[in-house]
Amino acid sequence: MKQLINLIPDLLLVIGALVIVLATFLLNVVAGLYVLGVFLFVAGIFVDKDGIQLGRKRG
């Protein structure tokens, strides 16, 4: 149960991002694609364990 409570902020963040993307798509498809791309880019940075570091070698 405690693990589920720890996930609530992440779930709210994802749901909020989806609502923003959906609302933008309803306004304009191209703008919706831009907003979706920005959210996916930012999500990729947050999911990455070390964040963005210049000169980092993967492997």
Side-chain angles (χ1 to χ4, degrees):
M1 184 67 169
K2 189 171 184 173
Q3 292 175 348
L4 184 61
I5 291 174
N6 290 338
L7 288 177
I8 289 175
D10 295 330
L11 290 173
L12 291 175
L13 182 68
V14 169
I15 291 170
L18 288 175
V19 169
I20 292 170
V21 169
L22 178 64
T24 309
F25 265 108
L26 290 174
L27 291 173
N28 188 341
V29 176
V30 175
L33 288 174
Y34 275 110
V35 171
L36 180 62
V38 168
F39 276 127
L40 290 176
F41 181 77
V42 171
I45 291 172
F46 281 127
V47 169
D48 190 14
K49 294 183 183 191
D50 297 328
I52 295 178
Q53 295 176 358
L54 297 176
R56 179 178 60 168
K57 294 182 180 178
R58 293 190 179 258

